[in-house]
Amino acid sequence: MPEKPEKNGVTKEFQEFMSVPGETPPRKLSERVRTEIANRLYPSLALVLAKVTLIYAVTGILVLLVCPQFGLTLAADHGILHI
């Protein structure tokens, strides 16, 4: 198992890293990344409404399959509710 580097070694390595001149990415790449991030952070209203509608539909069907009052239950016997 490798040993932990000394605090002094980490500080020296960080100072070397910071002394290297930075390079800026191409402008098109930066804009494309920002656009992708913005699209994921702020989805369209239609996409959000479609997802919410799908969630409501699936949960509604599951409730109807469990609730015997609507006649769509998976169990043939109503059990305690049949009393």
Side-chain angles (χ1 to χ4, degrees):
M1 185 168 179
E3 294 181 24
K4 283 184 153 182
E6 295 290 328
K7 183 177 180 183
N8 217 4
V10 173
T11 305
K12 181 180 176 187
E13 186 178 337
F14 179 71
Q15 288 173 349
E16 288 175 9
F17 172 74
M18 292 303 291
S19 67
V20 175
E23 294 183 23
T24 57
R27 184 178 174 120
K28 277 189 163 187
L29 178 63
S30 293
E31 288 181 17
R32 194 174 347 157
V33 168
R34 284 187 181 139
T35 302
E36 181 68 26
I37 291 171
N39 288 340
R40 289 183 183 209
L41 285 176
Y42 305 108
S44 68
L45 181 61
L47 180 64
V48 173
L49 289 177
K51 286 182 179 182
V52 169
T53 301
L54 179 66
I55 291 169
Y56 270 107
V58 169
T59 55
I61 290 171
L62 289 175
V63 167
L64 287 176
L65 289 175
V66 173
C67 183
Q69 295 170 340
F70 297 103
L72 298 175
T73 183
L74 292 174
D77 186 18
H78 294 287
I80 196 165
L81 296 176
H82 193 63
I83 296 177

